[in-house]
Amino acid sequence: MQILMVVYDVAFDEEVMAALGRCRLSGYTKWSRVVGAGEHSPPRLGTAVWPGHNCALLMALEDGALPEVT
């Protein structure tokens, strides 16, 4: 079993969910409002100073399924 976690800007939510459907991945846990900061993007903290937020997906995949997703 492999665990895949994907964190992405909420602006891409429809595209990410459509991609999951195309990959036939139906089992996942989704957090719809995730805040934080990273090395390659401005902070998304859901505040007036740092607006915006992310979504996060966690999926348990069978061994060997990860190369098909990436």
Side-chain angles (χ1 to χ4, degrees):
M1 176 115 353
Q2 299 170 313
I3 298 295
L4 175 65
M5 184 170 196
V6 181
V7 180
Y8 56 94
D9 188 304
V10 68
F12 297 104
D13 190 51
E14 287 184 27
E15 295 170 49
V16 171
M17 298 310 291
L20 284 180
R22 288 192 300 274
C23 292
R24 297 188 183 107
L25 295 174
S26 58
Y28 60 86
T29 298
K30 181 179 176 181
W31 292 270
S32 297
R33 189 170 180 83
V34 179
V35 296
E39 274 186 50
H40 304 290
S41 65
R44 292 186 180 94
L45 302 177
T47 66
V49 175
W50 298 108
H53 62 276
N54 295 318
C55 293
L57 292 170
L58 185 69
M59 292 165 270
L61 304 173
E62 296 296 326
D63 288 334
L66 190 56
E68 295 175 24
V69 174
T70 58

